[in-house]
Amino acid sequence: MPKKKYLSCKELESSLFLAPDELRSCCQRFFHNGKMRGDASLLKINKGDVPTSKKILDARNRIFEDIQNKNSESCTGCHHLYERETKPKFDNSLDHLSVEQHTFCNLRCSYCSPMFYGGEKPNYNVLNLVKLLKQDGYFQNLKQVVWGGGEPTLDKSFELLVNEINSETNPEIYHRIFTNSVRYSEALANFLKKGLVKIVTSIDSGTPETFKKVRGRVKFEEVFVNLQKYSEINPNKITIKYILTDHNKSEEELESFVNKCVKFNLDNCAYQISMDYKSEIIELDTLKKISYLIGQLKKNNIKKIFCDDHIARRFKTLNSDQKVELEKYVELNK
């Protein structure tokens, strides 16, 4: 008789995501049978509640059993599921913590949603929860903390929370801050000087006009000025992101973006290329423009360039004719 195998997920086993009204086991978003899934909810949090370790562990076990019985709406079809011989033993150990406890943002990006800018405050005392998790040993083996939202630096307790998490954890830990860099943050600059954080900022445009269309505010110049200041501290800790949309992928726009980055001495930063996660497929024209952007970056001696999972997963859907057409475009544009 064949030995029973279990379906599990590394994020379910060792990650925790703090949202305004719930705790989640992941922030993956994927399409299965034409429907977007992911953002698996562990447990909802009512106003004034503070989740206990037991509730978190019980919720992990519940999702795990739902996955075995194919009853998990969020997880069915996820490419992160894997087979294992033994049932995982859920405990208080975390590798990854994501802090997205509010949805206040000073931009209104065209590809975003009120889930990230709706002005929602947390239903619970985040600092008390962090202290509880620390007390129960969740942070002892923590490797990475990701800060999002909302704009994380708008939270008055941002600096306090970073220090609280960092006070009793793995010395090799680092914090990845997804900030729009619209405002210069002294706290962020100080953390950069200590080598504690990495910054990711999405610009998505090469001109002020397109920035307004895609990012929703007239803050194009401010973002470059602030990124230059952060980069002067340590460019190796800065990632500049470009999410391609219908409004910002012309060759002229991409060239202008790269020229602007060079003008502000951002050539030693890393560059991440992405696409709208709400699109199930990636158009061939978008892939052509991704290759064009990579070419422009390389021509300016920018070496640290990568495409993220949103592109990588969809690239596999190209047929042979599309791949040939893409190769011709790459060759034509050198």
Side-chain angles (χ1 to χ4, degrees):
M1 185 175 181
K3 189 175 180 180
K4 181 178 179 179
K5 291 188 177 180
Y6 298 90
L7 268 182
S8 190
C9 165
K10 293 295 184 185
E11 298 218 46
L12 177 61
E13 294 167 15
S14 57
S15 296
L16 190 64
F17 296 75
L18 313 187
D21 60 353
E22 66 180 0
L23 300 184
R24 300 179 187 136
S25 65
C26 84
C27 66
Q28 298 298 323
R29 298 182 190 97
F30 61 96
F31 285 88
H32 179 67
N33 290 340
K35 181 178 179 180
M36 185 184 289
R37 301 168 190 259
D39 283 328
S41 176
L42 279 173
L43 52 94
K44 294 290 183 182
I45 307 175
N46 296 320
K47 280 194 177 295
D49 285 352
V50 176
T52 64
S53 290
K54 184 179 185 308
K55 286 182 179 179
I56 294 171
L57 293 177
D58 288 346
R60 280 178 164 165
N61 278 295
R62 173 183 52 77
I63 290 185
F64 176 79
E65 292 302 328
D66 285 345
I67 291 171
Q68 309 318 301
N69 297 320
K70 299 182 179 178
N71 288 332
S72 175
E73 180 73 14
S74 300
C75 304
T76 300
C78 181
H79 63 285
H80 283 281
L81 292 175
Y82 75 103
E83 283 190 344
R84 52 180 292 161
E85 302 289 338
T86 57
K87 184 177 179 179
K89 185 178 184 301
F90 297 106
D91 56 26
N92 292 3
S93 181
L94 285 183
D95 287 341
H96 176 100
L97 177 69
S98 180
V99 186
E100 300 182 7
Q101 83 279 24
H102 70 83
T103 62
F104 288 89
C105 188
N106 41 10
L107 291 180
R108 291 292 181 272
C109 302
S110 61
Y111 48 76
C112 197
S113 73
M115 179 179 179
F116 303 105
Y117 61 68
E120 191 176 355
K121 296 179 180 179
N123 281 350
Y124 53 99
N125 187 308
V126 181
L127 183 58
N128 285 350
L129 175 59
V130 164
K131 288 180 177 179
L132 175 67
L133 294 173
K134 186 171 74 170
Q135 173 187 307
D136 289 350
Y138 277 85
F139 299 159
Q140 289 179 2
N141 299 310
L142 198 57
K143 296 172 183 172
Q144 177 181 237
V145 185
V146 171
W147 297 80
E151 166 56 39
T153 63
L154 291 179
D155 185 352
K156 292 179 181 178
S157 62
F158 168 68
E159 187 173 7
L160 181 64
L161 285 169
V162 173
N163 286 324
E164 185 67 36
I165 292 170
N166 213 57
S167 64
E168 211 170 299
T169 190
N170 174 11
E172 301 298 318
I173 192 175
Y174 73 90
H175 300 254
R176 184 180 297 276
I177 318 292
F178 284 86
T179 175
N180 56 39
S181 295
V182 165
R183 300 195 317 173
Y184 183 76
S185 166
E186 290 289 350
L188 208 48
N190 289 332
F191 288 139
L192 270 173
K193 290 171 186 174
K194 294 176 182 177
L196 185 60
V197 303
K198 297 180 180 181
I199 290 176
V200 180
T201 294
S202 203
I203 297 180
D204 313 328
S205 60
T207 59
E209 296 77 18
T210 302
F211 189 90
K212 174 73 164 57
K213 282 182 185 176
V214 178
R215 305 288 275 164
R217 294 284 188 272
V218 186
K219 295 291 181 180
F220 183 69
E221 293 294 332
E222 289 89 336
V223 170
F224 278 98
V225 168
N226 292 331
L227 279 173
Q228 184 176 37
K229 290 178 183 177
Y230 292 142
S231 179
E232 285 169 355
I233 299 171
N234 189 344
N236 294 319
K237 301 290 186 181
I238 312 296
T239 296
I240 296 169
K241 190 173 177 181
Y242 201 103
I243 299 174
L244 279 90
T245 73
D246 289 338
H247 299 295
N248 69 1
K249 62 180 182 179
S250 71
E251 293 173 359
E252 295 77 15
E253 191 74 32
L254 298 175
E255 281 187 44
S256 181
F257 163 71
V258 175
N259 291 338
K260 193 78 171 177
C261 290
V262 172
K263 179 182 176 182
F264 278 84
N265 302 314
L266 301 174
D267 43 311
N268 288 318
C269 301
Y271 284 78
Q272 176 181 355
I273 304 173
S274 188
M275 62 170 283
D276 188 345
Y277 69 87
K278 291 178 283 189
S279 299
E280 187 171 3
I281 61 169
I282 185 167
E283 296 176 353
L284 181 59
D285 181 62
T286 300
L287 277 173
K288 288 178 178 178
K289 299 306 170 53
I290 289 167
S291 71
Y292 191 86
L293 175 54
I294 292 171
Q296 290 301 309
L297 290 166
K298 284 181 174 289
K299 284 176 185 176
N300 284 276
N301 206 31
I302 293 171
K303 299 182 175 69
K304 292 178 282 188
I305 311 162
F306 66 99
C307 296
D308 65 16
D309 284 350
H310 292 306
I311 290 169
R313 286 203 298 270
R314 291 161 177 81
F315 184 81
K316 297 175 184 177
T317 64
L318 289 185
N319 61 41
S320 55
D321 290 341
Q322 289 173 318
K323 288 177 183 175
V324 169
E325 188 175 338
L326 179 60
E327 287 171 355
K328 288 179 179 177
Y329 176 87
V330 170
E331 185 177 351
L332 179 65
N333 287 281
K334 300 181 181 179

